[in-house]
Amino acid sequence: MEADCRNLRRELGAYLEGEASPELLAHLEHCRHCQNLVEELRSIERAAPQIAETYEPRPALWKQIENAVYAEGLVRERPFSGWFRDLVREWLPLPAPALAAAYLVVLLIAGVVITFRTATPPLPAQQAASPAPPVDIAAELTSAEQTMLAEMERLNPGASPIYRNNLATVNYYIDLCQRTLDQDPGNPDVRHSLDQAYTQKADLLSAMLDPDEMRSR
Amino acid sequence: MPSWAGARRFSRLLPGVLILAAFPLYAEHFDRLFSVGGYPLLSLRQISGDVVVRAWNRPEIRVLASVKGSHVVADATQQGSRVEVVSEVVGQHDESKEVVHYEIYVPAESELQLHSHDGLVRVEYVRGDVAIETRTANVELKEVAGHINVKTAAGSLLADRCSGRMEVRSTSGDLKFTEPALAKLTAYTTDGDIAYEGDFQPGGMYNLSNHAGTIELRIPKQASFDLQASSIQGQVTGDVPAVPLAKTWQSPTASPQRLAGRYLTGDASVRLSSFSGTIRIRWK
């Protein structure tokens, strides 16, 4: 990636809102890679209302997440819905697969917090600790998924193989799409395919978090 | 005064009577009727068994349940225009043996929220918002109109003569649409097949995709639509001639199989995409 490209990426937010420096305009005129990126972001921007509607989980789930987040002491003053909206707004300029992955991470980590951590409240010393260090999202995601599967195996052994097999199928295609995308980063068909796989994974994990599914048999 | 013959007969029946007393037949039925007005909501949470919901022309919801299991309870309650039907396994028992079959009649204009793990979910002639979630239960829709949303982990879908808007997602189930009149359809299955047999609505948008499996369109000769079909590592085949559209994006390094074209006046928009599956477009 050229230095000019990196500069453009830093100013993308302002650029998409119509504030472009002459240097950026000049760069955009000859850089096809950045033209494609801007076009892709604009298409995401246009589709954003639809994406938000599609990805909106059940209101009850948000309520559960909100309660759990308050109970954990993760949020004190600002309402959770506002916090999530800010997060989405922050991540909206990302390409569609990244948005789906972002949604997935929020859903999964929140779900794991609700399902497995509410029974063990943090100690006062932990609550007073300084802000947590940056999290390795990919590792967190894999770890959370494995925790959920193990917990379902324990609580609902009848349903566990179904989710395990279906998650394995989706993970296989996520991996395949990701590898294809690494070889051909600009391919919108592969991006679309990766986005679909992530969305399906989010649906499966959301279904696993259903109280009926995570109830002891 | 009891005779010896009567006593002997009773003594022969006694073991059976005792067995029945110890192991009652756990087949239970109930039939409940709820008066509803306006646009009622039926909410159902089912564990295992078949669910059939049909529209009828009365302002009532009727719930017929057949309970087959010793540790499952089923109940139907009303709160205003909302009727809630719940099956629940009591204690820790194998769900697959705790079966409840439902036959439910609702006013044609109703909202349905159906959640079932295993079995079959069938909805007929309902007009309204229909949301169905299943784990492995297959879904069958017949002449359902409205906003239809189906999510299933491993179930399949058969939608016959449905209209309105439909979104369907499955991981391993097959999806089939026959004679649809849908203005908008978004269907995805990770590694199942998708079959669409019928015409498109003018102005309609149809987005069918999978990662593996077959996507097959069988369309009448009068179908008018713009087509974008691509399979990244699979094949796109069609015996239907189309006017090529303007050149679309082409990857410089990959060689995706794609077909883009206009059929008649291009009144509808159809996008078919697969990762490694086969896409076929044929005349009906």
Side-chain angles (χ1 to χ4, degrees):
Chain A
M1 189 189 296
E2 293 176 18
D4 285 347
C5 295
R6 276 197 291 273
N7 289 338
L8 174 68
R9 306 263 161 110
R10 274 199 282 272
E11 295 180 41
L12 264 181
Y15 175 78
L16 290 170
E17 288 172 5
E19 295 170 19
S21 63
E23 293 83 357
L24 286 181
L25 289 174
H27 173 75
L28 266 177
E29 269 186 16
H30 73 264
C31 179
R32 199 172 157 217
H33 195 65
C34 287
Q35 287 168 11
N36 289 342
L37 178 66
V38 167
E39 184 47 42
E40 187 174 297
L41 291 172
R42 289 216 186 281
S43 68
I44 292 168
E45 202 176 32
R46 283 193 294 273
Q50 195 181 345
I51 291 169
E53 185 188 347
T54 307
Y55 291 165
E56 188 65 33
R58 300 184 308 277
L61 179 62
W62 289 127
K63 194 67 193 166
Q64 286 174 320
I65 293 171
E66 183 181 356
N67 291 341
V69 168
Y70 274 117
E72 289 284 310
L74 297 174
V75 174
R76 290 192 178 81
E77 292 174 10
R78 301 176 65 189
F80 178 75
S81 55
W83 170 81
F84 182 71
R85 269 199 294 272
D86 288 349
L87 192 68
V88 169
R89 199 174 298 128
E90 189 96 349
W91 284 359
L92 213 53
L94 295 173
L99 186 65
Y103 165 70
L104 184 59
V105 169
V106 171
L107 175 74
L108 188 54
I109 292 174
V112 170
V113 165
I114 295 163
T115 312
F116 308 119
R117 290 179 54 193
T118 46
T120 55
L123 298 170
Q126 288 174 302
Q127 285 176 323
S130 56
V135 179
D136 180 346
I137 299 262
E140 283 283 320
L141 187 59
T142 306
S143 166
E145 185 183 328
Q146 292 308 315
T147 306
M148 284 176 70
L149 281 169
E151 195 67 5
M152 176 163 269
E153 178 68 41
R154 188 176 69 80
L155 294 171
N156 189 356
S160 172
I162 295 160
Y163 286 108
R164 188 177 289 278
N165 290 343
N166 282 286
L167 275 171
T169 300
V170 172
N171 285 338
Y172 170 78
Y173 286 106
I174 286 176
D175 185 51
L176 201 58
C177 290
Q178 192 60 64
R179 279 190 279 128
T180 310
L181 198 60
D182 289 344
Q183 292 167 0
D184 189 7
N187 191 325
D189 292 333
V190 185
R191 280 177 182 275
H192 174 72
S193 213
L194 181 60
D195 179 43
Q196 292 280 22
Y198 268 123
T199 306
Q200 188 60 22
K201 183 168 176 170
D203 276 358
L204 282 172
L205 294 171
S206 173
M208 285 173 72
L209 287 170
D210 188 287
D212 268 1
E213 296 287 30
M214 280 295 184
R215 192 173 57 82
S216 181
R217 265 60 177 176
Chain B
M1 205 164 154
S3 67
W4 281 110
R8 276 200 299 274
R9 224 172 16 247
F10 179 76
S11 69
R12 280 199 296 271
L13 290 174
L14 188 59
V17 171
L18 289 175
I19 288 170
L20 281 177
F23 302 99
L25 293 174
Y26 291 110
E28 185 189 307
H29 302 265
F30 71 72
D31 181 351
R32 293 187 192 155
L33 194 64
F34 304 95
S35 289
V36 289
Y39 183 63
L41 165 65
L42 170 71
S43 167
L44 178 139
R45 290 189 76 84
Q46 159 79 313
I47 303 291
S48 188
D50 297 345
V51 178
V52 179
V53 181
R54 292 193 179 94
W56 67 356
N57 58 3
R58 298 185 198 175
E60 295 165 332
I61 292 180
R62 183 181 182 191
V63 181
L64 294 114
S66 170
V67 182
K68 293 177 180 170
S70 49
H71 306 100
V72 62
V73 289
D75 197 11
T77 54
Q78 180 176 21
Q79 201 165 36
S81 61
R82 176 191 176 98
V83 171
E84 196 155 342
V85 181
V86 178
S87 300
E88 196 170 350
V89 175
V90 181
Q92 299 184 6
H93 300 283
D94 183 0
E95 279 182 2
S96 61
K97 294 175 183 163
E98 309 298 329
V99 175
V100 184
H101 296 304
Y102 289 104
E103 192 175 344
I104 302 174
Y105 295 87
V106 299
E109 305 246 343
S110 294
E111 179 179 350
L112 307 182
Q113 293 174 359
L114 312 177
H115 187 284
S116 178
H117 290 170
D118 307 310
L120 170 74
V121 177
R122 184 174 172 83
V123 179
E124 297 178 354
Y125 311 114
V126 172
R127 294 193 302 271
D129 292 347
V130 176
I132 301 171
E133 289 185 25
T134 81
R135 188 202 294 153
T136 58
N138 295 328
V139 178
E140 293 182 7
L141 307 174
K142 185 177 183 184
E143 296 190 39
V144 177
H147 187 179
I148 305 157
N149 193 311
V150 179
K151 285 184 183 179
T152 170
S156 63
L157 168 85
L158 173 59
D160 182 35
R161 296 169 189 268
C162 292
S163 56
R165 289 172 56 191
M166 188 185 291
E167 288 117 39
V168 190
R169 297 191 69 86
S170 175
T171 308
S172 46
D174 295 335
L175 315 177
K176 186 171 185 182
F177 307 88
T178 56
E179 301 300 330
L182 294 157
K184 187 174 181 188
L185 170 63
T186 306
Y188 167 82
T189 173
T190 308
D191 67 354
D193 296 336
I194 303 177
Y196 184 103
E197 296 179 12
D199 205 346
F200 305 107
Q201 298 294 299
M205 293 176 69
Y206 306 85
N207 197 330
L208 315 180
S209 57
N210 66 8
H211 279 80
T214 301
I215 300 177
E216 182 167 273
L217 278 189
R218 291 176 65 85
I219 48 173
K221 289 194 172 176
Q222 71 271 18
S224 169
F225 61 102
D226 280 346
L227 174 72
Q228 295 274 358
S230 69
S231 182
I232 296 158
Q233 295 180 352
Q235 295 288 319
V236 182
T237 63
D239 54 9
V240 182
V243 176
L245 289 172
K247 186 170 168 29
T248 52
W249 180 91
Q250 191 78 28
S251 166
T253 52
S255 55
Q257 297 291 322
R258 55 172 64 237
L259 183 64
R262 172 159 292 179
Y263 296 81
L264 296 182
T265 50
D267 291 338
S269 168
V270 178
R271 182 176 178 182
L272 313 176
S273 57
S274 181
F275 188 84
S276 56
T278 299
I279 297 176
R280 282 197 289 265
I281 300 117
R282 293 183 172 171
W283 291 129
K284 197 177 164 197

